[in-house]
Amino acid sequence: MFALNPSPRALVAALALLTAVGCASPSLSEEAGWQQLEQRDYQQALTHFDAAIEQGDRADLQAGRAQALYYLQQNAEAEQAYARAITMEPEEVRWHADLAMMQMANGNWPGAVASYDQTLEMDADQPRVHFNRGYAHQLGGDSAAAIADYTAAIALDANFAEAYNSRGVVLAEHGSIDAGLQDFRMALQLEPFLASAYANIAAVNYAQGHAKLAFVDLNAAIKIDSDNPVYYKNRGKIHLDLGNSRKALKDFERALTLSPGDASLRKLISRTHELDGSSS
């Protein structure tokens, strides 16, 4: 069985949700910091935020500094800057939520869960925060907590397609195949262009020995998201199962173009060349 796909928007561009704010009358350094951050000149942004903080430290300046540090791959320092913002404004929900999102992007699942706990203690009626905490639980291996959070997100927003999709992944991975399929189909009913839901249905069909059905669903996923290497890789595996090595090779090569660091694709390509009787 190839891997199930959680919601594609759960972590992709996670820092897009970080709050970028300034005071009503920003200093020149502060204003330049936000401008440089927007222009992706992160080193200059950091320099300007540091200068603004010297003039008068504030939580939102620490948040801006944290974002610059994150993009400069100084992850520990970025988390410390958000922790400083929280120390300065502990009742401000957005700092806890932003710290959690940054911890998610850094792969710090326990830290993210703890930060989302704080966020939800202050405002429990946030379906996106429940969803994000659920994803942190899922990645951290706590499936029961993940399902509980996805279910809470759905209770708060019955049209939350991504929450159905991600809950379906956890259910299917732990043997509740019918319940997982029901969630995937509900996700597609709510959001017909959710490619990962099609890919998840394909994964279940493939695992159950229905390669041709899986092929149809993967085609639908690729039609929506033609730049996802996993979909081509999985479709290539189906082509191999159906005895079409040339089409499999084409899909594997396309996947490798999109994900050149995937060593498993090179092995699949080599194996496919052997099956096809050609040289690599």
Side-chain angles (χ1 to χ4, degrees), residues 154-227:
I154 291 166
L156 291 166
D157 181 0
N159 296 317
F160 201 158
E162 294 171 81
Y164 280 104
N165 188 43
S166 290
R167 187 177 69 176
V169 169
V170 182
L171 289 168
E173 285 180 338
H174 289 80
S176 298
I177 301 298
D178 290 340
L181 282 172
Q182 184 176 347
D183 272 354
F184 299 147
R185 288 170 179 145
M186 186 62 182
L188 285 173
Q189 182 178 327
L190 293 168
E191 191 173 334
F193 296 102
L194 188 57
S196 59
Y198 280 110
N200 288 333
I201 294 172
V204 171
N205 282 328
Y206 184 77
Q208 294 180 330
H210 306 307
K212 290 183 178 179
L213 289 177
F215 186 81
V216 171
D217 289 312
L218 274 175
N219 281 344
I222 290 171
K223 186 175 181 180
I224 296 167
D225 182 4
S226 60
D227 291 327

Side-chain angles (χ1 to χ4, degrees), residues 57-81:
D57 199 0
R58 295 199 318 271
D60 60 300
L61 295 178
Q62 289 290 343
R65 184 172 184 272
Q67 293 180 53
L69 285 164
Y70 172 81
Y71 285 114
L72 291 168
Q73 299 183 0
Q74 298 178 39
N75 297 348
E77 293 87 345
E79 289 194 27
Q80 289 172 8

Side-chain angles (χ1 to χ4, degrees), residues 137-157:
H137 279 306
Q138 181 181 349
L139 294 172
D142 192 341
S143 300
I147 290 172
D149 263 329
Y150 291 143
T151 301
I154 291 166
L156 291 166
D157 181 0

Side-chain angles (χ1 to χ4, degrees), residues 76-97:
E77 293 87 345
E79 289 194 27
Q80 289 172 8
Y82 260 117
R84 171 67 177 161
I86 289 170
T87 299
M88 299 173 76
E89 293 183 359
E91 300 305 317
E92 184 57 64
V93 175
R94 60 187 167 178
W95 305 142
H96 294 279

